[in-house]
């Protein structure tokens, strides 16, 4: 049993089996020539059905997720929408109230065309989840910690409830990565992530991953991958293969920075509230720490209303102001005008997404520089 960093460099097929290259090459091809009809000597036929570079990434992902199967998709949303298509016509899905906006939009606008309905519930209440289970419910979808308020769901308890009712559990594990949170060990059937975020880690790729131990689900997902065609491009697969090798050391530094910055922000009078599951003051701290290795690299905070948010962001110089998270550089987001802009002010207020709420995805910069930068901006 090796450590995380050794494993990420050696414990899956990292050497190209066709050439011995120490970096899996980019097999930048759409098709593969055959020497005869029905050529069984060829493993690959057409890149939408499979490609050696993408296959290498999928093997790497299966190692990372400790799953039997993993499939790569063209975005986190492609992974999510393909998984949600496991629901049959006439069925019903339960999701968190504060599920990722794209997932919410897909479930609310696309799935109803297939006669699939959904309930958005407070996942911190098992009773609430159970009360929403209908005879046609087929799936409980978890996302923990949530975006942007880092609400925590008890994965094991929800999976047990789902098993009791013979429902499938799907977990969006993007915020924690499989290094720090392992939903399969807690009973999940399918785990998915936006690999755009920490897994790739360099803000230069959009990608998604679906992992499972269930052969039937894998076969269904492979069919969807092939037929909907949301496959990952070769160049992007190669970039992620490179990015994932440093996932361990990147995450270690990002999480360290996040914990220290959350503790620092908690001491500031100009900050009214800090949301970070690694803080003892966080309402979901105990559950989160029982199912994850640490608080993760994302935190949110509310600055005093008397602050001008535009002025605050103009004074933050190190984190880039942008949507997304999980890059080596710190990323500051403003949910009210970015991820949650499509909601009305009333809907946002109901969710706790106020105009003075900011989300910080901590990168690997020097901690003292990040703290000095935020401190200066908050003055
Ligand atoms: C938790 C979560 N899941 C899924 C997604 C969608 O991923 P992508 O942008 O790669 O499609 C995001 C994007 O921000 C996210 O934050």
């Amino acid at each position: 049993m090796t450590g995380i960093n050794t494993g990420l460099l050696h414990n899956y097929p990292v050497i190209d089996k066709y050439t011995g290259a120490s970096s899996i090459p980019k097999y930048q091809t759409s098709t593969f020539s055959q020497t005869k009809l029905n050529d069984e000597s060829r493993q690959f036929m057409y890149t939408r059905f499979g490609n050696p570079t993408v296959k290498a990434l999928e093997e790497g992902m299966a190692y990372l997720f400790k799953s039997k199967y993993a499939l790569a998709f063209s975005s986190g949303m492609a992974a999510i929408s393909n998984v949600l298509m496991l629901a049959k016509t006439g069925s019903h899905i339960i999701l968190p109230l504060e599920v990722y906006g794209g997932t919410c939009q897909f479930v609310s606008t696309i799935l109803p065309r297939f006669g699939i309905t959904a309930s958005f519930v407070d996942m911190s209440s098992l009773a609430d989840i159970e009360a929403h289970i209908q005879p046609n419910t087929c799936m409980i979808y978890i996302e923990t910690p949530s975006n942007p308020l880092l609400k925590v769901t008890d994965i094991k308890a929800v999976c047990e409830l789902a098993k009791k009712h013979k429902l499938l559990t799907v977990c969006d594990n993007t915020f924690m990565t499989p290094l720090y949170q392992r939903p399969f060990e807690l009973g999940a059937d399918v785990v998915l992530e936006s690999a755009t975020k920490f897994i790739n880690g360099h803000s230069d790729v959009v990608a998604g991953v679906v992992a499972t131990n269930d052969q039937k689900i894998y076969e269904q997902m492979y069919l969807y991958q092939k037929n909907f065609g949301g496959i990952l491009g070769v160049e992007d697969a190669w970039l992620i293969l490179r990015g994932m090798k440093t996932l361990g050391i990147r995450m270690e530094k990002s999480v360290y920075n996040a914990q220290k910055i959350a503790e620092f922000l908690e001491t500031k009078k100009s900050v009214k509230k800090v949301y970070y599951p690694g803080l003892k003051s966080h309402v979901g701290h105990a559950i989160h720490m029982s199912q994850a290795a640490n608080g993760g690299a994302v935190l949110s905070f509310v600055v005093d209303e008397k602050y001008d948010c535009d002025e605050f962001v103009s004074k933050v110089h190190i984190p880039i102001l942008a949507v997304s998270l999980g890059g080596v550089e710190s990323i500051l987001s403003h949910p009210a005008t970015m991820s949650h802009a499509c909601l009305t002010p009333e809907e946002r207020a109901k969710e706790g997404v106020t105009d003075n709420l900011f989300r910080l995805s901590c990168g690997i910069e020097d901690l003292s520089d990040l703290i000095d930068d935020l401190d200066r901006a908050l003055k």
Side-chain angles (χ1 to χ4, degrees):
M1 191 61 174
T2 54
I4 286 173
N5 295 307
T6 312
L8 284 167
L9 289 164
H10 298 285
N11 289 7
Y12 54 98
V14 285
I15 304 291
D16 180 46
K17 64 178 167 205
Y18 309 104
T19 63
S22 65
S23 154
I24 302 286
K26 294 175 205 168
Y27 286 93
Q28 193 73 51
T29 182
S30 59
T31 193
F32 301 82
S33 73
Q34 301 183 11
T35 55
K36 56 180 181 164
L37 297 179
N38 295 319
D39 187 354
E40 281 171 9
S41 69
R42 292 283 198 246
Q43 197 190 338
F44 298 97
M45 185 189 225
Y46 183 58
T47 280
R48 181 159 50 77
F49 308 160
N51 171 288
T53 313
V54 180
K55 186 91 196 139
L57 174 67
E58 293 177 338
E59 286 170 356
M61 289 297 118
Y63 164 71
L64 186 59
F65 284 74
K66 302 268 178 285
S67 60
K68 272 197 197 149
Y69 311 102
L71 289 164
F73 288 84
S74 55
S75 66
M77 272 315 298
I80 291 166
S81 52
N82 278 265
V83 166
L84 288 169
M85 292 304 285
L86 288 170
K88 294 202 167 64
T89 303
S91 64
H92 168 257
I93 303 172
I94 294 176
L95 303 102
L97 263 176
E98 60 284 339
V99 73
Y100 171 66
T103 311
C104 175
Q105 196 168 51
F106 181 77
V107 168
S108 315
T109 62
I110 313 281
L111 288 187
R113 295 185 202 169
F114 301 93
I116 300 163
T117 54
S119 300
F120 295 92
V121 311
D122 173 5
M123 287 275 175
S124 64
S125 161
L126 280 184
D128 210 18
I129 302 174
E130 194 155 28
H132 281 87
I133 296 177
Q134 307 173 3
N136 60 340
T137 304
C138 66
M139 179 191 292
I140 303 184
Y141 186 100
I142 303 168
E143 188 184 312
T144 182
S146 73
N147 179 29
L149 296 180
L150 291 304
K151 284 196 190 149
V152 173
T153 299
D154 185 334
I155 303 174
K156 189 159 178 253
V158 174
C159 289
E160 278 168 7
L161 179 70
K163 295 238 161 10
K164 191 173 113 191
H165 292 269
K166 299 195 170 38
L167 310 176
L168 202 67
T169 38
V170 173
C171 186
D172 181 337
N173 203 44
T174 302
F175 271 39
M176 291 313 296
T177 82
L179 287 188
Y180 293 150
Q181 185 168 272
R182 303 195 163 282
F184 286 127
E185 291 171 13
L186 303 167
D189 299 300
V190 178
V191 181
L192 58 85
E193 287 198 21
S194 165
T196 312
K197 317 300 183 196
F198 295 105
I199 292 180
N200 177 57
H202 292 74
S203 302
D204 50 12
V205 165
V206 173
V209 184
V210 175
T212 185
N213 289 314
D214 184 310
Q215 192 182 344
K216 280 210 177 96
I217 294 177
Y218 165 72
E219 283 166 4
Q220 191 68 26
M221 293 308 306
Y222 175 62
L223 187 76
Y224 289 176
Q225 187 194 46
K226 213 166 67 165
N227 287 325
F228 287 115
I231 53 158
L232 187 63
V234 171
E235 177 87 21
D236 288 348
W238 183 84
L239 279 165
I240 301 172
L241 276 168
R242 190 164 77 156
M244 72 178 277
K245 291 181 180 172
T246 54
L247 180 64
I249 48 173
R250 281 190 283 108
M251 286 306 287
E252 201 178 310
K253 177 73 170 129
S254 289
V255 170
Y256 172 78
N257 283 349
Q259 180 74 38
K260 295 287 182 202
I261 291 171
E263 288 166 9
F264 159 76
L265 290 174
E266 253 195 340
T267 66
K268 299 297 290 180
K269 280 213 182 66
S270 45
V271 173
K272 291 293 153 206
K273 176 99 191 133
V274 182
Y275 299 95
Y276 180 64
L279 289 176
K280 287 204 176 74
S281 59
H282 189 281
V283 64
H285 175 75
I287 294 175
H288 180 79
M289 296 310 281
S290 73
Q291 63 191 15
N294 52 52
V298 182
L299 59 99
S300 292
F301 58 99
V302 178
V303 296
D304 197 315
E305 290 105 45
K306 66 176 189 268
Y307 276 63
D308 179 332
C309 290
D310 281 318
E311 201 183 335
F312 170 63
V313 295
S314 73
K315 291 193 167 142
V316 174
H317 298 308
I318 295 178
I320 61 166
L321 179 65
V323 295
S324 201
L325 58 115
V328 276
E329 69 287 291
S330 293
I331 302 178
L332 183 71
S333 310
H334 184 238
T337 57
M338 296 177 175
S339 54
H340 291 63
C342 57
L343 301 185
T344 63
E346 295 72 36
E347 285 170 332
R348 280 199 294 274
K350 210 167 123 203
E351 280 197 26
V353 179
T354 52
D355 287 349
N356 46 350
L357 175 79
F358 289 90
R359 189 189 73 194
L360 184 67
S361 164
C362 297
I364 63 170
E365 297 94 343
D366 295 302
L367 176 66
S368 56
D369 290 335
L370 287 172
I371 288 193
D372 286 351
D373 194 37
L374 289 168
D375 199 22
R376 215 176 314 111
L378 285 167
K379 274 178 192 146

